[in-house]
Amino acid sequence: MDPAKLSELKKFIQLCRSNPSVLNDPSLSFFRDYLVSLGAKLPSSSDSHGASDAKSKSYVVEESDEEMADGGEKIDVEEEEEEIIESDVELEGETVEPDNDTPQKMGNPSVEVTDENRDASQSAKAKAMEAISEGKLEEAIEHLTQAILLNPTSAIMYGTRASVYIKMKKPNAAIRDANAALEINPDSAKGYKSRGIAQAMLGQWEDAAKDLHMASKLDYDDEINSVLKKVEPNAHHIEEHRRKYDRLRKEREDRKIERERRRRRAQAQAEYEKAKKQEQSSSSRKPGGMPGGFQGGMPGGMPGGFPGGMPGGMPGGMPGGMPGNVDFSKILNDPELMAAFSDPEVMAALQDVMKNPANLAKHQANPKVAPIIAKMMSKFAGPK
């Protein structure tokens, strides 16, 4: 198909994707009927407007597009962004249809070339050059092929035949010969030049610019410079185009990663808050601890802490129940005990022991906790 028509069709498809309501145009009824005949599901007029509005949204997540975590933190709902569709690159310069002929005959570089064959090869090349000057390109190819078979170790022979294929507008054949020349001699200026021109003929602008620059460094000539002036602008446009869309794709991926990071952070915060509330609720229902110290009255036991009796007893001397004649004022007036009650580590140990007196043993080695427990036990023991 005509490249210009293909480009217009591609732009029309992009327009339909971004604004499906275009298909409701009466003048496109034939196209709608065709799509329906293929089994396509077309949006209604209202659906098309809705889809267009949705597509016009920015990637920034609005408040309505967020969910609330249990802890009140907003969690982003991942919003699918519109697919990045690359535009066409505006390029100048003519290209040719690739040649798909049977590959030309190539020599065997491993054969030993005799002086006789080398001379015969040069003779065949001379005949080829004469044919080229007369415009007999097919005849020139035959002579150069004979020269290559006689001396397959000559990069010049391959490079010369590549240049004839370029004149015949057969870029693929020219590239095969140029590659063979560069395998024999990696510094073959003729090889780079022929391959670069052939790549330009195929529209391979970046590769062409690279090879032509290398050829110019090795052996500059006006023809290379002339071709480069046509090739370089296209190579530059392609490079800019690639960088632009690489940047857009990276920005899109970065936004996706950032949304996921915020979502996970909010989710973790919500789970932490939920667990914290559950822990506080559970602690407030436990009969063991002494939150806030000794405050308020002591009807039947210590509020929020020591109950009136300690079932099961404490190993090491604490009786199974707290005697009724314990003077709690001694505990309240004991500075050491009151200071200890404000230490979270001490309070945690006391609560652990009250929950299960058998846990006393694991705290007896703690120099901060053991003396306090011993002192409490001595006061709960009552008068001897």
Side-chain angles (χ1 to χ4, degrees):
M1 290 184 67
D2 185 348
K5 292 182 179 179
L6 283 175
S7 177
E8 291 178 3
L9 177 59
K10 191 178 294 185
K11 291 177 181 178
F12 173 69
I13 296 300
Q14 292 174 1
L15 176 62
C16 291
R17 282 181 174 174
S18 62
N19 185 13
S21 62
V22 169
L23 294 173
N24 293 319
D25 191 317
S27 64
L28 294 175
S29 59
F30 72 95
F31 186 52
R32 287 176 57 88
D33 293 341
Y34 171 68
L35 293 177
V36 171
S37 70
L38 295 177
K41 183 179 179 181
L42 301 180
S44 63
S45 178
S46 58
D47 291 340
S48 298
H49 289 300
S52 178
D53 293 341
K55 288 290 186 181
S56 65
K57 279 187 178 181
S58 169
Y59 69 85
V60 177
V61 181
E62 302 293 341
E63 185 172 343
S64 59
D65 293 328
E66 297 173 336
E67 293 179 348
M68 295 294 292
D70 292 339
E73 180 81 13
K74 290 180 179 178
I75 302 179
D76 293 348
V77 176
E78 184 172 346
E79 179 180 319
E80 184 176 353
E81 295 188 29
E82 185 175 354
E83 181 183 357
I84 296 175
I85 301 174
E86 292 191 24
S87 61
D88 293 329
V89 186
E90 294 185 5
L91 303 174
E92 297 180 357
E94 295 181 359
T95 59
V96 302
E97 289 293 325
D99 50 305
N100 297 312
D101 300 339
T102 302
Q104 64 270 37
K105 291 181 180 180
M106 312 293 277
N108 182 359
S110 64
V111 301
E112 184 177 351
V113 181
T114 64
D115 291 339
E116 182 181 353
N117 284 349
R118 188 172 287 107
D119 291 341
S121 176
Q122 288 296 330
S123 177
K125 179 187 175 184
K127 293 178 181 179
M129 299 307 292
E130 183 179 351
I132 293 172
S133 65
E134 296 175 357
K136 300 176 182 179
L137 301 182
E138 290 286 357
E139 183 180 332
I141 290 293
E142 291 178 6
H143 289 307
L144 286 169
T145 300
Q146 183 182 4
I148 288 171
L149 295 176
L150 289 166
N151 183 10
T153 63
S154 173
I156 293 294
M157 296 299 180
Y158 282 107
T160 302
R161 190 171 69 172
S163 66
V164 177
Y165 278 127
I166 289 173
K167 292 179 183 293
M168 298 173 68
K169 297 190 182 303
K170 293 186 176 183
N172 282 331
I175 289 173
R176 285 192 290 269
D177 273 350
N179 287 339
L182 290 168
E183 285 181 8
I184 297 170
N185 178 16
D187 293 328
S188 171
K190 200 172 187 68
Y192 282 113
K193 176 182 175 179
S194 298
R195 191 169 69 179
I197 294 175
Q199 289 166 335
M201 293 171 69
L202 293 170
Q204 299 170 3
W205 306 110
E206 291 178 289
D207 291 336
K210 182 179 178 181
D211 277 349
L212 290 169
H213 276 296
M214 179 61 73
S216 183
K217 288 180 181 178
L218 293 169
D219 186 13
Y220 173 85
D221 65 39
D222 291 336
E223 185 182 7
I224 296 174
N225 187 53
S226 177
V227 178
L228 267 175
K229 287 181 178 179
K230 299 176 183 178
V231 168
E232 281 192 313
N234 286 341
H236 182 65
H237 290 325
I238 293 172
E239 178 70 16
E240 285 187 335
H241 180 85
R242 182 187 300 109
R243 287 179 180 175
K244 172 186 174 181
Y245 284 96
D246 284 348
R247 186 186 73 251
L248 289 176
R249 278 187 282 268
K250 185 179 186 305
E251 289 174 353
R252 186 173 186 258
E253 184 63 22
D254 288 345
R255 291 194 296 269
K256 181 179 179 181
I257 293 172
E258 176 60 19
R259 286 197 302 273
E260 177 64 15
R261 187 187 66 81
R262 292 201 307 266
R263 186 191 67 78
R264 290 190 177 187
R265 184 177 63 184
Q267 185 178 9
Q269 181 65 24
E271 291 174 354
Y272 169 76
E273 295 292 342
K274 184 177 180 181
K276 186 176 179 181
K277 286 181 180 179
Q278 289 177 346
E279 182 181 355
Q280 290 175 346
S281 176
S282 176
S283 297
S284 66
R285 291 194 299 268
K286 287 181 181 179
M290 292 184 182
F294 297 104
Q295 296 179 2
M298 299 185 188
M302 287 182 162
F306 298 107
M310 289 189 167
M314 279 192 176
M318 187 169 284
M322 193 178 288
N325 60 350
V326 173
D327 187 355
F328 287 103
S329 63
K330 292 182 179 180
I331 297 175
L332 297 174
N333 293 327
D334 189 317
E336 183 183 3
L337 288 177
M338 295 308 294
F341 292 154
S342 65
D343 188 321
E345 183 181 355
V346 175
M347 289 302 299
L350 290 175
Q351 290 177 359
D352 186 39
V353 172
M354 290 177 183
K355 183 169 64 175
N356 184 1
N359 292 338
L360 175 62
K362 69 180 182 181
H363 297 291
Q364 288 180 336
N366 190 328
K368 183 191 290 188
V369 176
I372 301 302
I373 293 179
K375 197 166 191 178
M376 290 287 294
M377 289 166 54
S378 67
K379 292 183 181 295
F380 287 158
K384 295 183 180 178

